Amino acid sequence: MTASSLPPDPPSEDSKQVRAARRALDIIELVAEARLLKHSDIAARLGIPKSTTTLILDTLVRSGYLRRDAFSRAYSLGSRILGIAGRYLSEADIVQISQPVLSRLVLDIDESSFLVQAEGDEVLVMWREVCRRRLTYMFSLGERASITDTAGGLAMLAMRGMAQWAPTLARCGVPAGAEADALIAHLREVADGAVAFRAPGRVPEVASLALPIVNSMGVPLAAVSVAVPAHRLDAPLRERVEAALRIAQADIAGQARALGPQQPSL
């Protein structure tokens, strides 16, 4: 038997453990995105054998990372994930600073407000304060969206510099032409100090407005945004929301600068 015809070496225990860990993380991310999934759907979407899926799901449930509904047998995120998220948020200075500011913002305008940070071509919801009048769809903590789909994302993108705008729009699937040209023109306005605006965006019935939060070196840390049902956003309400956003922006940015340089949002 030649060397080339020898059977491949069996996978090492280390490689098996790495693969199992990767699959567990993939399952957690998939359930987080879908919010509720059954065993068969998880196995099918990730291409994992059902027997392996069962073992991983049982381990995650026992560990508290997932929970299984007794009636539907579907899986959702467990309380241990919430604990990890809480510890992460408690260490994020910009989130701590923003929480009371967002609370005051909601009390002032009675519209839901959000703090988002950029990660690559996406924005991540770091905090939210919900008003009495709930939206048709509400972003959850930790939820992601394309950076071009919300005003918060556009506020962050505007601060990255003009050289980044067109390539980012292309990567995010914004077609070249009138739509891209309009967004670039708006990004230029936002970079000059205007309030970012997106409607329609991720949610067709909802309009969003936002301003960036920058550190002492002018690097964007986050964006504070407000979401309003599009049918209610008349000129007086928009003027009121923009004024409240500027107050919130100044408050958060002033406190953030007092802390010194912060980790920029990438």
Side-chain angles (χ1 to χ4, degrees):
M1 181 179 292
T2 64
S4 61
S5 63
L6 291 174
D9 292 334
S12 67
E13 285 301 314
D14 286 346
S15 66
K16 289 180 181 178
Q17 291 175 4
V18 169
R19 183 170 60 181
R22 185 179 298 116
R23 284 174 167 174
L25 292 173
D26 288 342
I27 288 173
I28 290 172
E29 289 190 0
L30 180 63
V31 172
E33 181 178 351
R35 301 190 181 184
L36 199 66
L37 275 180
K38 292 188 175 181
H39 175 288
S40 57
D41 295 324
I42 294 170
R45 292 197 193 185
L46 296 178
I48 302 175
K50 288 186 177 180
S51 58
T52 303
T53 304
T54 299
L55 291 173
I56 297 175
L57 286 173
D58 287 346
T59 300
L60 292 173
V61 170
R62 286 197 303 270
S63 302
Y65 291 103
L66 295 180
R67 64 183 181 90
R68 180 170 47 217
D69 184 81
F71 298 100
S72 68
R73 310 295 291 175
Y75 294 86
S76 59
L77 293 181
S79 59
R80 196 161 184 179
I81 294 291
L82 181 61
I84 293 172
R87 287 191 292 274
Y88 171 77
L89 290 174
S90 69
E91 295 173 358
D93 288 334
I94 192 70
V95 176
Q96 290 188 44
I97 290 170
S98 301
Q99 288 173 1
V101 178
L102 293 186
S103 295
R104 290 194 296 271
L105 180 59
V106 171
L107 288 174
D108 181 24
I109 61 175
D110 197 20
E111 304 291 349
S112 296
S113 62
F114 303 82
L115 181 80
V116 301
Q117 287 188 312
E119 290 188 358
D121 292 340
E122 295 181 316
V123 287
L124 176 68
V125 178
M126 300 296 294
W127 195 255
R128 70 174 191 177
E129 292 289 341
V130 181
C131 71
R132 295 172 300 170
R133 297 175 291 190
R134 295 186 65 85
L135 300 168
T136 55
Y137 178 85
M138 181 70 63
F139 281 100
S140 302
L141 286 180
E143 189 167 352
R144 296 173 182 271
S146 169
I147 200 168
T148 61
D149 280 351
T150 68
L154 294 179
M156 298 292 295
L157 179 56
M159 303 308 293
R160 289 182 176 177
M162 293 180 61
Q164 297 290 327
W165 297 348
T168 301
L169 296 184
R171 289 194 302 271
C172 293
V174 177
E179 183 177 355
D181 291 345
L183 278 176
I184 288 175
H186 183 50
L187 289 169
R188 189 175 294 111
E189 294 172 344
V190 175
D192 289 338
V195 175
F197 177 75
R198 193 71 164 114
R202 169 77 173 270
V203 184
E205 302 86 2
V206 176
S208 57
L209 302 93
L211 284 169
I213 308 298
V214 299
N215 65 11
S216 57
M217 297 176 288
V219 177
L221 300 174
V224 57
S225 69
V226 169
V228 183
H231 72 274
R232 286 203 292 104
L233 189 63
D234 55 17
L237 178 57
R238 180 166 178 173
E239 182 177 351
R240 186 175 164 215
V241 169
E242 290 188 355
L245 274 171
R246 292 196 183 280
I247 293 172
Q249 177 198 41
D251 195 351
I252 297 171
Q255 294 184 65
R257 290 179 185 131
L259 291 172
Q262 301 288 300
Q263 180 67 33
S265 187
L266 303 178

